[in-house]
Amino acid sequence: MTDVQREKVEQLVAKVRTSACGFYRAHWGKAERFEDLPLMDVERFIATPFGERTYKVEKGLVKIVRAYRAPFLVHWSLEDLKAEQFGDSTGKRPLVLLSDSHEALEKSLWFYEHDILPLIGEPNNPPVVSYAANKYDIDALVTDDKAVPPFLSEHEKQNNMKAVAVVLIGSSFEPALLRRLESSSKNVTPVLSLPETGTFGMACPKNRGAKERHFHPSDNSVLEIKDGELIVTKLVYLRTPVIRYRTGIRAEQFASGSDCGESPFRLVS
Amino acid sequence: MHTKEDLQNVLPMANEALLAAYAAGEQADHFVFHLSSGTSGGIPLLRVAHHPGGVLPRFRNARRTAVFAGSRMIRLNNAFYFLRTDTPPEASLLLLDFADLDSRAAELLRDFDPDYLIGSPSFLAHLFRLPLDPSVLPSVSRITLMGERSSKNFSDFLKSCFPDALLENSYALAEIGGVGISCRYLPFGQFHPVRNVSITVADPDAEGVGELVVSKKGEHSDVREYRTGDCGRSLPAHCVCGSPAFEVFGRIGYDYVKIAGAQLRTEEFERVASELDLYFSDFRAEARMVKVGKGERASLRLIVAPRGSLLQDPEIQALVAGEFARRLFVTPSKTLENLVAEGIFLPLRLKLAHTPFPAENKAVKLRFIHD
């Protein structure tokens, strides 16, 4: 963790600790140092009503997270949403095609917040999505591993993806799919993200096309690896802050740095 | 006048002009896409709409709005207006898909505690079948029905669940957006055109009923004389609020079927069905012309989801079919029973559905069958 990150983390923890909301305080007990704070997990999000893990109230979007054993609500203010990071290949005429509709709507609003007009697609109707993508002449595709294969099968019948940059969002990335996308599209940016945390890591652009992709933390996140699991802290005071959150993603640090000078990690299947 | 097929040809130029304006630097949040689903038949249609100053006043006072809509694009467009409207600073928006209405929906909605519900009637009806006790939504103070024709029964049901809530009906088309909105003085199914919209009726019959034709003026994206595929009429007198009004009967060939000089309306079927709901909980009606000897007669088949075992008895089936025909008005002054007696219709045929009707985004309760 850099000194700047350390300072931001400490400010975040202090703000959360003194908030009227006691969600984290009750969990942390007397632990003081960031490294000693007990890890947070999704079960506590599920078990705690939305209003009891609310640290601030701002205009925004509420979404249902369905990726786990029970659904729960999370909220993204427009400001926080705008600060999310998806790399530099999001285009000017993007198609947002994600299997989860709440994620798709949230990412579409991210584009509006960045003054980019998004086209949103229904993944269960590839011919119509392809038709609309063609009419809009998309230059970027924001997608995930479930939504993109049927779309490609349909779209590539009559269209070329060579001018389309792909942002692939998920918590794991199938090498065969990455290879397929890298061979057919302009470039591919895998972005690590969970619905409840937002984005927290991104594939290193320097080793694009490599057999094994390296990942870096996003600027707004601090990542730790504990017992082989990626732990994320978002350096943003979210409605429900994300502090030492267990992602369930297996990862390991590289012993040496990458070409870009940062210390990367790799995902472990 | 433009049909959807015409627009398919005309729109690309308009779309390209707007997208060029966007590419040239005009703000992204001046534009939205509209995409028709094609669920009522026909082809999907993509349209770029230009709304540089568009806000939706309905979001102004809501703190926690839940939108129920089948199309992602419609949900996104609601979010688009929500962003741009001057809402309370803590306002939040929950956008729900049909897939969200599962056994956990009641719990999640209780957690969200909406004060404003926006949705299509079939979505909201599905929500209340979950089951969901309206008491878990104590803060609801406003409901706007949109996206498809609502039945009077359902509107009455919502009023009984939320007696203190303001209930509005709106009339919108996926490819155009908002067209009409109800007001407190208008009866059920009647609307005022929204701003910049004018309504005419194509091919009106003696009662002035025909296909609704919409013209909508936008800064760069006028829609001129668009045939909606919906049936309705302009109302001769202005509403007491002073604004012009029109009435919508539903989709031509689906919610509104003209056959053998009769006008079959889903709303009327629902009225009669509600009177006979001791026997069945839901129905689908099919109208067709059939050959009888050298001529043709209209035929109506009613498929019903029976309640309990009463309708297993053929005598009770006959009784219910007879009652339905006696109560169902198919012209302003005549019932189905009258037209059967005149030899215009064959006697109503009743059929029992062996499984419940599937929950659908736009349930087609009445349709004309082309044999």
Side-chain angles (χ1 to χ4, degrees), chain B residues 136-147:
Chain B
V136 306
L137 304 174
S139 303
V140 171
S141 60
R142 189 174 182 186
I143 302 170
T144 300
L145 298 175
M146 66 165 196

Side-chain angles (χ1 to χ4, degrees), chain B residues 22 79 204 215 280 286 324:
Chain B
Y22 163 60
S215 295
F280 58 89
E286 296 173 350
F324 203 97

Side-chain angles (χ1 to χ4, degrees), chain A residues 62 92 98 112 115 122 131, chain B residues 8 22 28 31 72 85 93:
Chain A
V62 173
K92 185 75 176 164
L98 291 162
Y112 266 129
D115 196 21
E122 308 272 357
Y131 157 82
Chain B
Q8 193 75 20
Y22 163 60
F31 302 93
R72 288 185 181 190
T85 303
L93 181 69

Side-chain angles (χ1 to χ4, degrees), chain B residues 31-354:
Chain B
F31 302 93
V32 288
F33 285 107
H34 293 285
L35 181 69
S36 69
S37 62
T39 49
S40 298
I43 47 178
L45 188 68
L46 183 75
R47 175 174 166 257
V48 187
H50 186 246
H51 296 296
V55 296
L56 271 190
R58 67 189 185 200
F59 285 122
R60 272 194 189 130
N61 298 313
R63 286 178 163 73
R64 294 173 304 281
T65 302
V67 176
F68 304 80
S71 153
R72 288 185 181 190
M73 208 167 273
I74 290 174
R75 295 202 296 283
L76 178 61
N77 292 352
N78 272 275
F80 165 86
Y81 285 110
F82 170 79
L83 294 182
R84 296 156 43 115
T85 303
D86 188 15
T87 63
E90 74 277 24
S92 54
L93 181 69
L94 175 61
L95 302 160
L96 294 124
D97 189 3
F98 210 67
D100 292 318
L101 302 188
D102 61 9
S103 59
R104 307 299 292 265
E107 201 177 315
L108 292 167
L109 281 168
R110 187 193 297 119
D111 211 7
F112 181 58
D113 188 24
D115 58 3
Y116 184 22
L117 305 179
I118 302 174
S120 63
S122 53
F123 262 62
L124 292 173
H126 186 64
L127 178 67
F128 290 102
R129 280 198 292 265
L130 284 177
L132 182 142
D133 185 333
S135 68
V136 306
L137 304 174
S139 303
V140 171
S141 60
R142 189 174 182 186
I143 302 170
T144 300
L145 298 175
M146 66 165 196
E148 65 191 49
R149 193 193 61 83
S150 175
S151 71
K152 185 172 185 310
N153 287 344
F154 185 63
S155 295
D156 290 345
F157 166 75
L158 288 177
K159 279 181 196 162
S160 70
C161 293
F162 304 101
D164 299 325
L166 171 65
L167 179 63
E168 302 167 312
N169 276 289
S170 69
Y171 173 59
L173 301 167
E175 59 272 39
I176 287 180
V179 174
I181 187 79
S182 65
C183 91
R184 57 190 297 194
Y185 303 110
L186 285 173
F188 178 83
Q190 298 184 1
F191 304 92
H192 294 302
V194 298
R195 195 165 61 94
N196 295 334
V197 163
S198 61
I199 303 280
T200 56
V201 176
D203 309 323
D205 63 13
E207 282 84 39
V209 176
E211 184 172 1
L212 291 172
V213 177
V214 173
S215 295
K216 189 170 188 177
K217 191 167 175 53
E219 197 164 307
H220 293 300
S221 56
D222 290 359
V223 174
R224 290 192 195 91
E225 297 193 317
Y226 178 61
R227 297 186 76 128
T228 61
D230 288 337
C231 190
R233 61 177 179 147
S234 291
L235 293 170
H238 282 194
C239 169
V240 294
C241 76
S243 303
F246 64 99
E247 185 167 16
V248 182
F249 299 132
R251 290 166 286 177
I252 294 171
Y254 294 92
D255 300 313
Y256 184 93
V257 174
K258 281 189 175 184
I259 181 171
Q263 298 97 41
L264 310 181
R265 292 168 52 178
T266 301
E267 189 184 336
E268 172 64 3
F269 278 73
E270 286 171 335
R271 182 189 68 76
V272 177
S274 71
E275 293 174 359
L276 298 171
D277 70 351
L278 172 68
Y279 302 99
F280 58 89
S281 58
D282 201 358
F283 72 91
R284 299 291 183 270
E286 296 173 350
R288 49 168 47 90
M289 294 303 295
V290 295
K291 283 191 175 172
V292 178
K294 290 182 179 174
E296 275 193 323
R297 286 161 80 180
S299 167
L300 196 57
R301 183 167 80 147
L302 193 69
I303 306 158
V304 298
R307 280 192 203 279
S309 57
L310 273 175
L311 275 177
Q312 301 301 331
D313 182 337
E315 283 189 19
I316 295 182
Q317 275 188 39
L319 171 81
V320 170
E323 275 302 305
F324 203 97
R326 192 172 67 79
R327 299 176 187 209
L328 183 77
F329 278 88
V330 294
T331 76
S333 60
K334 292 184 178 178
T335 63
L336 177 61
E337 185 184 61
N338 298 145
L339 294 197
V340 171
E342 290 175 22
I344 297 170
F345 270 76
L346 291 169
L348 176 69
R349 291 183 297 148
L350 194 76
K351 183 180 181 227
L352 304 191
H354 296 296

